[in-house]
Amino acid sequence: MDSATLNSYVGAALIANGLHVSDDEKSRISKQFSLILAHADLIKDAQPSADPEQRK
Amino acid sequence: MNIAAHNGLAEKSPLQHDIDATLNAFTATMATRTFSPQQTSDLLSGYTFAVKNLYDVRGMTTLAGSETNIDRPPATHDAVAVRRLIEAGAQLRGTTNMDEFAYGFTTENHHFGATRNPHDLERSAGGSSGGSAAAVAAGLVDFSLGSDTNGSIRVPASFCGIFGFKPTFGSCDMQGVFPFIPSLDHIGPFAPNATLLALTSRVIADNMGDARLPDENKVDGGWRIGILSGYFETHRSGDVEDATEQLYAAFPNAKRVELPNAERMRSAAFLITASEGGCRHATALREDYERIAPGTRERLAAGLIVPAEALANAYQVRRDFLNTADSTLDEFDIVLAPSAPCTAPRIGQEWMTLDGQEVPTRASLGLLTQPLTPLGTPIVAAPLPVKNGLPVGVQIMGKRDQDALVLEFTRHLENLGHVKSAPMPKL
């Protein structure tokens, strides 16, 4: 996700969740969100198993 | 901020005041509440203790390290764990500093200051239960209580050179404990030796069974020992590698075993913590944003907007990891791994070098505890004997509900001198 898309997503998601913050604050949140996305990227291939034994 | 005055409590004793003025381990002390009228045993008579300030203490406001909680009314009851310790004769001396909402590994609290490591005042005591660990390491109290969601007992125990214990998930009554991530939250004690660690654990646990005594003629006590390799060997500083390998060398029959997908589990735990933490504090974020400290609020806000797909993936990784880990670890009674990837960092240190790479300090201190927490297994963080330099800890993990075995094995290792609290520093 490029920087502009990231900032756009973060801004919209914050408002949708009732959080209204300054641009500076939004920038700091975006930085943390990037870190979260980096971890999400590492496990993006995780898929629910179709095997009932593996779904316990 | 004078929290003691805020809570209408006694000021610190002169000795405590002098030492704690240096360490900043306590957020409030109490000289007046000693023996409870409800004392029912003398198991812990004569022992003093402190609790992380996320435990309810009757008459005090439960802060959980946050200014946003200051206006909350004082607790009307002690948390169950606190009550059980008082009923066993222990004397509560105060509440201790922590990372805000328990979301951190350094106890650098924006509102209440940083807790300093008794072994090097320029360094972190670890977190989030850093005040509780520092208070025991400095001898201000005999034992203390902390909480552990991603390593918040094990990391500070390691940095402060004392024993800490994360019991089996769900084995202790959490009533009266301010929650962080309920699916990962544990409570447990810190102590300067394995015997007191076991005694206090037994008092706060709902029903801890017994373990057979070790074969004293064997270093491994007659138990099957595993040593976590791969991820748990890669993420070690030189100091930690030296200290842990010295311990491992005492177990020639131990088997090195890789825990598959530990790194993925760490990422999943990071995501789950961020997301559930953000949701947990959503109301405070909306209504009290400016009073949540910088450094905490932006992480919680970022967690609140984690995409559903990412969170679903994290839960799937956790399910897969638990299925695999159970079978991988089944052949062992005890599994060993370092408690933290490094020794205590300097207070305010933003970056550190690990495995040849620059990594963010605060987020990396839980690298070796975070993947193990979801297993819900009992884990002691025990101090290794280090001749020079800062303390290093090892995780001693057993199977779920085998808390007594883990504690007995730790006592056995302490008797043999393989684990040992760091000498108490002169402050």
Side-chain angles (χ1 to χ4, degrees):
Chain A
M1 193 183 291
D2 62 55
S3 176
T5 309
L6 178 79
N7 289 334
S8 175
Y9 173 86
V10 169
L14 289 174
I15 290 168
N17 279 280
L19 271 175
H20 303 274
V21 298
S22 68
D23 286 346
D24 279 353
E25 200 66 30
K26 205 183 301 175
S27 169
R28 283 190 283 272
I29 294 169
S30 291
K31 198 172 161 189
Q32 291 302 321
F33 190 70
S34 297
L35 192 56
I36 291 173
L37 287 187
H39 282 285
D41 197 49
L42 288 174
I43 58 170
K44 66 183 177 190
D45 59 342
Q47 292 294 325
S49 171
D51 179 356
E53 280 302 304
Q54 296 296 314
R55 295 167 67 185
K56 287 178 182 173
Chain B
M1 184 176 302
N2 189 335
I3 301 298
H6 169 79
N7 278 304
L9 296 170
E11 290 292 339
K12 298 163 185 169
S13 71
L15 176 64
Q16 281 182 323
H17 189 279
D18 286 350
I19 297 176
D20 196 45
T22 303
L23 295 180
N24 193 33
F26 283 87
T27 49
T29 56
M30 47 205 309
T32 50
R33 265 185 82 191
T34 54
F35 290 96
S36 160
Q38 291 84 39
Q39 185 180 340
T40 53
S41 80
D42 59 1
L43 269 176
L44 292 171
S45 283
Y47 288 107
T48 60
F49 76 110
V51 298
K52 187 175 183 176
N53 75 22
L54 51 61
Y55 285 80
D56 282 352
V57 173
R58 181 169 46 87
M60 299 174 67
T61 296
T62 307
L63 297 168
S66 182
E67 190 181 345
T68 60
N69 289 325
I70 277 181
D71 300 328
R72 285 165 51 120
T76 54
H77 296 86
D78 291 330
V80 169
V82 175
R83 176 172 55 77
R84 287 179 179 174
L85 292 168
I86 292 172
E87 285 174 351
Q91 301 173 36
L92 178 60
R93 286 295 168 83
T95 55
T96 56
N97 199 12
M98 57 182 283
D99 287 285
E100 187 172 27
F101 299 135
Y103 198 9
F105 287 116
T106 58
T107 312
E108 293 171 87
N109 188 296
H110 181 78
H111 307 297
F112 309 120
T115 294
R116 296 181 179 277
N117 190 313
H119 298 285
D120 181 340
L121 299 175
E122 298 302 312
R123 293 182 183 271
S124 165
S128 63
S129 311
S132 291
V136 170
L140 294 174
V141 287
D142 295 312
F143 69 91
S144 62
L145 292 183
S147 67
D148 189 316
T149 302
N150 283 301
S152 286
I153 288 174
R154 290 164 284 163
V155 171
S158 178
F159 289 175
C160 290
I162 57 171
F163 293 82
F165 184 47
K166 182 196 82 62
T168 292
F169 180 77
S171 64
C172 296
D173 194 324
M174 302 279 286
Q175 191 179 337
V177 180
F178 194 94
F180 179 32
I181 310 296
S183 68
L184 295 170
D185 286 345
H186 299 69
I187 58 171
F190 294 96
N193 59 66
T195 301
L196 188 54
L197 189 78
L199 186 58
T200 52
S201 300
R202 200 167 277 282
V203 169
I204 65 170
D206 284 339
N207 185 21
M208 190 189 298
D210 293 316
R212 73 162 173 80
L213 294 175
D215 181 342
E216 300 285 353
N217 296 315
K218 296 179 177 174
V219 176
D220 61 16
W223 286 303
R224 300 167 299 170
I225 312 296
I227 294 168
L228 291 184
S229 61
Y231 174 88
F232 293 89
E233 290 175 329
T234 306
H235 295 97
R236 290 185 296 184
S237 67
D239 292 349
V240 174
E241 182 175 347
D242 290 347
T244 48
E245 288 299 330
Q246 188 177 328
L247 173 69
Y248 298 165
F251 304 103
N253 297 323
K255 182 176 167 186
R256 303 246 174 181
V257 59
E258 192 155 352
L259 199 49
N261 296 315
E263 187 160 18
R264 286 165 63 84
M265 184 59 246
R266 194 255 170 170
S267 284
F270 190 97
L271 274 161
I272 291 167
T273 300
S275 179
E276 292 191 15
C279 292
R280 167 80 183 82
H281 294 290
T283 302
L285 285 168
R286 291 184 191 111
E287 298 178 359
D288 227 358
Y289 192 86
E290 294 298 325
R291 291 176 80 195
I292 304 174
T296 304
R297 63 194 186 203
E298 58 264 36
R299 287 186 293 148
L300 291 173
L304 185 62
I305 59 172
V306 168
E309 183 184 9
L311 187 60
N313 287 344
Y315 287 135
Q316 183 60 41
V317 167
R318 179 163 72 176
R319 280 192 293 274
D320 292 343
F321 179 76
L322 294 180
N323 282 331
T324 311
D326 276 353
S327 55
T328 303
L329 301 177
D330 191 50
E331 64 178 292
F332 304 107
D333 300 306
I334 292 289
V335 173
L336 305 173
S339 297
C342 57
T343 55
R346 294 188 181 283
I347 290 170
Q349 184 177 329
E350 296 285 342
W351 296 89
M352 65 180 193
T353 305
L354 198 62
D355 196 26
Q357 292 190 322
E358 286 285 295
V359 294
T361 302
R362 294 184 186 89
S364 302
L365 299 178
L367 273 170
L368 305 180
T369 49
Q370 249 175 322
L372 300 181
T373 309
L375 297 172
T377 47
I379 308 176
V380 167
L384 295 168
V386 179
K387 284 184 183 146
N388 296 303
L390 294 163
V392 172
V394 66
Q395 296 183 85
I396 302 171
M397 180 170 80
K399 290 181 166 59
R400 279 187 290 277
D401 299 317
Q402 296 295 312
D403 299 47
L405 189 157
V406 172
L407 290 162
E408 189 58 40
F409 180 73
T410 305
R411 189 197 59 76
H412 176 62
L413 286 190
E414 186 183 35
N415 284 347
L416 296 175
H418 290 299
V419 298
K420 182 182 180 185
S421 275
M424 196 172 292
K426 289 181 181 170
L427 295 167

